[in-house]
Amino acid sequence: MTTIALPSYEDATSRYETVIGLETHVELGTQTKMFCGCKTDFGAEPNTQVCPVCLALPGALPAMNGAAIEATIRIGLALNCDIAEWCRMARKNYFYPDMPKNFQTSQYDEPLCVDGHVDVVVDGKEYRIGIERVHIEEDTGKTLHVGGATGRIHGATESLVDYNRAGIPLVEIVTKPVPGLGELAPEVAKAYVAELRDIIRSLGVSDVRMEQGSLRCDVNTSLNKPGEEWGTRTETKNVNSLRSVERAVRSEVIRQAGVLDGGGKITQETRHFHEDRGDTSPGRSKETATDYRYFPEPDLVPIAPDPAWVAQLKSELPEKPSTKRARLREEWGISELDMQSVANAGAVELIEETIAAGASPAGARKWWMGELARRANELGIELSAAGATPAQVAALQKLVDEGKLNDKLARTVLEGVVAGEGDPAEVMAARGLEVVNDTGALTAAVDEAIAANPDIADKIRDGKVAAAGALVGAVMKTTRGQADAKTVRELILARLGVS
Amino acid sequence: MAAISREEVAHLARLSRLAVTEEELDRFAGQLDVILQSVARVGEVAAEDIPPTSHSVPLTNVYREDVPAPSLAQDAALSGAPDAYEGRFRVPRILDEED
């Protein structure tokens, strides 16, 4: 295999224009599946949340979940879409064991919601992402390929299927093609998915957790030379984190530029994103829409939402996340740039809840944007999954405010909290981490430090107060970091008669 | 002219993962053609003012409450399967679908 020389990302975007499009699937958080009363709990034993309908046993008939229809309409309204006055479900026929019916009940040319938009801000500039359609369908079962070394189907001898997920309501949100983003395409794509996630979370219709697959994203990318028609697009699947959205677009731009530079053509295909390598590899060649032989679902009657009901749902939409961010930014007294970082880190609600649990805005922000954001980044997980709850962070900050923990000890306590050792107070007790406030013990340690460093003590007595740092260090060492540095410093100066 | 070609039948058979012999292709193409021609006659009587019908009953908005109902037990769910392993349906490897 010949290796094509790949250009740098900057080089690629200086010579090619990008067009991106995003298809996002959101698993709704309804109690039951789309067409039957089976539960939708995550992580249940395989094939324990299944029934004749979702297993497609002969004679079983679907019954539509009204709550899923309402949730889809609310998503459509929050994305500024028009809601169809009348539309139908459709059968998408394909033969693969992830759907026992041999078709997926979806929508085709009559989506429930059409023609909306989402505005996102990147580097202080606003971009409008058009929404082509929002439709309702059902999720597929989970297949596990066994017999091969890689866990993928290549080399596998058989597949094991769990239908617990089959039939869970799934909302598909498709953007219009987005041209003209230049080198910012990856960042805008990421910002769009983050905004979409925040909007849907604010509606309370899904937990939108990428790491659990309740929000999944496919990224379409194409390149063209300036002034020329849009190029052939590829569809990248398996993009399972916000960071991956950005990386997937970037790597596909570089790859396609390399192919085009070499005089090659882009094949319209599905590609798989590899989290570990940060690039994509070709997947199955896509069946065309006619191959799916869509037709109106005869077992489900049309959906015709009452306009008065839709108007009521619209009037009851929650505050838009962007409006809320502007309001919180005022309340927290931080810059727009800082607020954007908070939003991009998925920390708005977490900080809000931490403040509600009693922490100051600065204290709450410090932990979520510091230690916890760092951890989430390193592990490539969502901040909400970093291992601490808002209540725990608020409790930690309270211990700091009360002087029971200094900054360094608080970090250690937080490590214990995320390691699952319990609430901050429990970790503190179990690990014996408390600031030494016993003045007698501290004074003894201070006197010891002074006695051991007579030269430094003399300097301080002569007015060189800055030298106290060395003695503070010595005391911190004997107290194993469990003293408050400020108190120690005051104590040293007092003992040496210079305060 | 035939309403469906032999090639279209072969294509549909492939999409449905059905192994169809050459003789069967000829036979099915002929049979399907008769069916399609018969159905097409309905179109001849449908005037401009008759919209296509997808449902025979004039109902809309039939919904179920979002309330859980009992599911099948795992062994019951798997009882009709030709093969199962550790609570999952076991199926042959599907070729040519992914890399």
Side-chain angles (χ1 to χ4, degrees):
Chain A
M1 192 181 130
T2 50
T3 311
I4 300 168
L6 291 177
S8 71
Y9 179 73
E10 289 69 23
D11 181 28
T13 51
S14 71
R15 290 180 293 113
Y16 294 98
E17 292 174 352
T18 58
V19 182
I20 58 167
L22 294 110
E23 279 177 35
T24 311
H25 287 94
V26 176
E27 239 182 38
L28 294 180
T30 48
Q31 293 296 306
T32 65
K33 292 188 178 180
M34 188 65 212
F35 304 116
C36 62
C38 286
K39 284 197 203 169
T40 56
D41 298 343
F42 182 81
E45 285 295 303
N47 296 306
T48 54
Q49 295 177 165
V50 291
C51 75
V53 173
C54 53
L55 286 177
L57 300 187
L61 284 172
M64 196 126 63
N65 186 338
I69 298 297
E70 177 175 324
T72 309
I73 292 174
R74 291 180 69 224
I75 290 173
L77 290 170
L79 302 180
N80 306 292
C81 288
D82 297 329
I83 308 304
E85 289 175 16
W86 190 91
C87 66
R88 289 174 295 190
M89 303 302 291
R91 289 190 183 180
K92 179 183 183 179
N93 298 279
Y94 69 97
F95 192 91
Y96 195 68
D98 64 359
M99 277 316 262
K101 295 187 291 194
N102 289 345
F103 63 83
Q104 179 189 33
T105 307
S106 179
Q107 291 195 285
Y108 182 44
D109 50 356
E110 298 167 4
L112 187 46
C113 323
V114 293
D115 200 20
H117 64 263
V118 174
D119 295 323
V120 299
V121 178
V122 172
D123 286 351
K125 193 164 172 245
E126 191 169 83
Y127 297 87
R128 174 156 291 191
I129 311 296
I131 302 293
E132 178 84 30
R133 57 186 285 155
V134 177
H135 78 238
I136 179 77
E137 58 184 30
E138 60 181 327
D139 210 345
T140 59
K142 270 188 185 159
T143 48
L144 198 67
H145 305 301
V146 293
T150 56
R152 296 200 53 76
I153 199 164
H154 184 73
T157 51
E158 55 192 23
S159 302
L160 300 175
V161 197
D162 170 13
Y163 290 117
N164 282 350
R165 201 181 63 181
I168 292 184
L170 197 63
V171 172
E172 180 173 318
I173 301 155
V174 184
T175 69
K176 294 174 179 169
V178 194
L181 296 174
E183 60 179 15
L184 280 180
E187 283 81 5
V188 173
K190 179 186 171 190
Y192 162 76
V193 179
E195 187 69 21
L196 192 61
R197 181 191 62 181
D198 290 351
I199 290 171
I200 293 170
R201 188 184 283 144
S202 77
L203 297 172
V205 295
S206 168
D207 58 5
V208 280
R209 293 176 72 158
M210 292 190 91
E211 78 279 6
Q212 286 189 357
S214 57
L215 188 153
R216 310 196 282 271
C217 195
D218 303 340
V219 187
N220 295 332
T221 314
S222 75
L223 295 189
N224 59 274
K225 289 227 168 92
E228 292 184 1
E229 278 183 30
W230 292 354
T232 304
R233 67 186 165 85
T234 59
E235 180 181 4
T236 304
K237 289 192 176 286
N238 202 28
V239 185
N240 295 330
S241 69
L242 285 180
R243 195 164 147 257
S244 295
V245 172
E246 187 178 343
R247 291 167 77 210
V249 177
R250 188 175 291 265
S251 81
E252 196 50 19
V253 167
I254 292 171
R255 187 193 69 84
Q256 290 190 15
V259 172
L260 295 171
D261 283 347
K265 281 195 168 149
I266 303 301
T267 315
Q268 182 170 350
E269 64 186 353
T270 301
R271 299 185 65 86
H272 289 281
F273 182 70
H274 301 281
E275 194 89 36
D276 48 347
R277 312 197 312 237
D279 65 2
T280 65
S281 67
R284 72 183 156 118
S285 60
K286 224 171 150 46
E287 289 177 64
T288 62
T290 52
D291 282 347
Y292 286 128
R293 293 154 288 145
Y294 282 100
F295 63 87
E297 166 61 65
D299 290 342
L300 294 164
V301 301
I303 302 161
D306 178 1
W309 178 54
V310 172
Q312 186 199 336
L313 290 177
K314 188 170 186 174
S315 71
E316 289 167 0
L317 285 179
E319 184 182 20
K320 258 187 5 190
S322 53
T323 312
K324 180 177 178 175
R325 283 198 298 272
R327 174 173 61 79
L328 291 176
R329 191 177 75 73
E330 290 281 313
E331 289 176 17
W332 298 351
I334 63 175
S335 73
E336 266 183 51
L337 206 64
D338 282 343
M339 192 67 206
Q340 205 188 324
S341 312
V342 168
N344 289 346
V348 177
E349 274 75 24
L350 294 168
I351 293 175
E352 196 187 7
E353 286 166 31
T354 306
I355 293 169
S360 65
R365 197 160 63 91
K366 178 181 137 183
W367 295 111
W368 288 109
M369 296 304 290
E371 303 298 307
L372 292 164
R374 204 158 24 248
R375 180 180 156 83
N377 254 335
E378 279 169 13
L379 298 176
I381 55 175
E382 307 279 320
L383 188 55
S384 56
T389 64
Q392 288 170 328
V393 173
L396 182 73
Q397 184 58 36
K398 185 158 179 274
L399 290 167
V400 174
D401 292 341
E402 289 170 353
K404 289 183 181 160
L405 290 176
N406 60 24
D407 203 60
K408 185 163 168 289
L409 289 173
R411 278 170 218 274
T412 311
V413 169
L414 187 59
E415 275 170 28
V417 171
V418 299
E421 292 170 26
D423 289 333
E426 291 165 356
V427 175
M428 213 169 109
R431 291 201 185 187
L433 300 168
E434 184 165 5
V435 168
V436 177
N437 271 334
D438 174 354
T439 325
L442 264 190
T443 309
V446 165
D447 288 344
E448 195 186 312
I450 290 172
N453 301 280
D455 301 352
I456 297 171
D458 283 342
K459 278 188 193 168
I460 298 170
R461 283 195 193 92
D462 290 345
K464 287 186 181 155
V465 180
L471 293 186
V472 173
V475 174
M476 294 305 276
K477 207 170 170 185
T478 47
T479 56
R480 291 181 299 127
Q482 288 175 238
D484 177 51
K486 196 160 155 266
T487 310
V488 172
R489 188 183 160 83
E490 280 164 9
L491 210 53
I492 291 168
L493 296 181
R495 295 299 275 184
L496 295 173
V498 283
S499 60
Chain B
M1 202 187 115
I4 188 163
S5 69
R6 198 174 179 278
E7 287 67 39
E8 285 173 312
V9 176
H11 182 60
L12 287 172
R14 194 187 61 78
L15 290 176
S16 310
R17 306 301 187 267
L18 293 173
V20 181
T21 65
E22 293 295 313
E23 292 79 358
E24 282 172 326
L25 273 184
D26 288 326
R27 193 161 81 244
F28 294 153
Q31 290 177 348
L32 286 168
D33 192 50
V34 171
I35 294 169
L36 289 170
Q37 302 267 17
S38 307
V39 174
R41 292 186 60 193
V42 176
E44 291 169 18
V45 296
E48 287 281 308
D49 59 338
I50 304 176
T53 304
S54 58
H55 298 79
S56 53
V57 281
L59 286 173
T60 54
N61 299 327
V62 177
Y63 302 127
R64 172 177 62 77
E65 293 285 315
D66 186 25
V67 178
S71 295
L72 294 173
Q74 191 187 64
D75 53 351
L78 296 169
S79 62
D83 200 1
Y85 179 72
E86 292 188 341
R88 294 175 170 87
F89 292 85
R90 174 144 61 181
V91 300
R93 169 192 174 189
I94 304 300
L95 290 164
D96 303 321
E97 279 289 344
E98 289 182 60
D99 55 344

